[in-house]
Amino acid sequence: MRITEIPTPAVLVDSSRLAANLTRMQSAVSARGMRLRPHAKTHKSPHVARMQIGRGAAGICCAKLGEAEVFADEGITDIRLPYPLHPVNADRVFALADRIALSFIVDDPAVARAWSDRAHGRGRTLDVLVKVDVGFHRCGIDPGLPHAAETLRTISALPGLRFRGLLSHAGHGYGAASELEMEGVAAAEAKLLRDLASASGVTCDEISVGATPTARFSVQQHGITELRPGNYAYFDRTQVGLGAATWNDCALTVLARVVSRPARDRVILDSGSKTLTNDGARGFSALPGYGVVMRDLAAAEPDLSLLIERLSEEHATVRVVEGETTLVTGALARIVPNHSCVVSNLVDQVWLVDGEQVVERMAVAARGRIT
């Protein structure tokens, strides 16, 4: 079966590119004596998680408990949630911890004490890491505050909790304007974590960082024990724009069909926001539009004469910005989306392909697990 026989729109994952991406990252991290713990929210697939662990990953990360439960059901035995869990979820957390090696983050001493009380009361021990805000300003303790080191000491001493170390996410790296600035984000992240660990006087067995754009620089940093990139499995237009990937690394594409040619400079595809998402792209330069139409079905290079300028729910409006296009009504196109992680969450299955040949269908088992 060839991709030309697949109903559209469809999400394709090139198996050769996927395998190469997984091997490349694992090799880079292992060469530095670090552990790789990929974030599974990109693919939400136990099949891909097993590929990652088979190459040497220490375990996986999940965004939510619901995701972790799916992967645990599929035999994944070491899962970390780099997400602040409230003790309202205690029953689910303890049930999951009965089955697998589970760890999660805390960044609020009051919440940490509440977890301590629940664990101690049950005669249990929970593995936790303290999330540190290294500049993204989402979750995490502020390492610049005078009581940051004391917060670590307090949490590390709580009964029922096993303090594993520090964890961060340099999400602000997505806003970097150059390779040099990206490298600076990775270096500053590592230094903040090292300095905080040193100031606290607490043993931090793990210093965990995670972001695909900064990963190529994080592997060079002293003191890091674990990397948690996720998007590297598939990559996307944003990662190309940030220098983390090439077009030939982009494993996930959307297969779409031309359903209308209402004007000479306008092409309408059947892949709207329900497939491509409304996420914009980020990069070292401006990246307008909602993904990139590739030049042909081999998906080796972009067709820069086409701009996906507007999405409705079921349609993508593509403007021909230069010359003519061969995309006639009924023709197929492959699109590299701006953000592959969100695309994964929009479909129940993806098609594993080798070039234009279909290999098999793969379930997106943890799709929609938002609690």
Side-chain angles (χ1 to χ4, degrees), residues 29-350:
V29 174
S30 295
R32 296 288 295 179
M34 302 172 181
R35 290 185 296 276
L36 181 66
R37 184 184 292 274
H39 207 311
K41 72 186 177 87
T42 296
H43 53 75
K44 298 178 180 289
S45 162
H47 175 76
V48 177
R50 285 189 285 268
M51 291 177 67
Q52 292 170 317
I53 291 170
R55 284 165 169 75
I60 64 168
C61 290
C62 290
K64 296 293 184 72
L65 273 170
E67 282 186 5
E69 288 162 346
V70 169
F71 283 97
D73 288 344
E74 292 289 334
I76 305 302
T77 59
D78 193 328
I79 301 177
R80 174 161 293 166
L81 284 88
Y83 185 86
L85 297 177
H86 191 273
V88 69
N89 296 296
D91 288 343
R92 291 174 70 192
V93 167
F94 285 112
L96 192 55
D98 283 338
R99 297 197 284 153
I100 64 169
L102 177 70
S103 56
F104 59 94
I105 65 165
V106 293
D107 65 356
D108 184 316
V111 172
R113 281 191 291 272
W115 276 116
S116 170
D117 291 343
R118 283 163 174 75
H120 188 60
R122 299 188 188 205
R124 302 288 297 276
T125 302
L126 294 171
D127 285 352
V128 299
L129 297 92
V130 170
K131 178 72 178 287
V132 180
D133 180 2
V134 293
F136 191 38
H137 305 320
R138 189 171 61 187
C139 302
I141 66 171
D142 184 343
L145 294 178
H147 56 74
E150 180 58 32
T151 296
L152 289 193
R153 288 191 287 269
T154 298
I155 292 174
S156 68
L158 290 171
L161 301 185
R162 182 183 296 111
F163 175 71
R164 299 286 296 274
L166 305 180
L167 179 148
S168 64
H169 171 60
H172 52 302
Y174 279 90
S178 67
E179 288 274 329
L180 185 62
E181 189 174 326
M182 186 74 74
E183 184 176 12
V185 169
E189 176 183 34
K191 185 177 187 305
L192 282 169
L193 296 173
R194 289 195 307 266
D195 289 352
L196 179 56
S198 176
S200 71
V202 176
T203 299
C204 294
D205 293 328
E206 299 194 38
I207 302 291
S208 175
V209 302
T212 293
T214 50
R216 63 193 188 274
F217 301 114
S218 293
V219 294
Q220 305 299 325
Q221 303 303 316
H222 171 67
I224 301 300
T225 66
E226 177 181 273
L227 269 73
R228 310 182 323 277
N231 189 275
Y232 81 96
Y234 290 164
F235 288 121
D236 51 32
R237 187 189 185 199
T238 289
Q239 301 300 337
V240 174
L242 293 171
T246 68
W247 294 114
N248 279 317
D249 297 325
C250 293
L252 183 146
T253 55
V254 171
L255 183 70
R257 191 177 298 276
V258 179
V259 293
S260 180
R261 280 299 310 272
R264 181 174 153 282
D265 66 344
R266 191 159 76 249
V267 177
I268 308 300
L269 302 174
D270 60 1
S271 54
S273 61
K274 290 178 179 177
T275 311
L276 288 172
T277 86
N278 282 309
D279 279 24
R282 287 168 283 185
F284 297 149
S285 59
L287 297 173
Y290 297 94
V292 171
V293 179
M294 303 307 283
R295 189 171 295 280
D296 53 37
L297 293 184
E301 59 183 51
D303 186 342
L304 300 180
S305 71
L306 300 174
L307 173 66
I308 305 175
E309 64 178 0
R310 189 171 78 246
L311 296 180
S312 52
E313 289 186 71
E314 313 295 349
H315 302 88
T317 300
V318 181
R319 183 159 54 90
V320 183
V321 296
E322 180 182 331
E324 301 285 340
T325 180
T326 59
L327 290 179
V328 297
T329 303
L332 291 171
R334 285 177 79 169
I335 302 165
V336 174
N338 288 343
H339 188 186
S340 61
C341 304
V342 188
V343 172
S344 287
N345 196 50
L346 293 174
V347 292
D348 292 322
Q349 64 181 22
V350 300

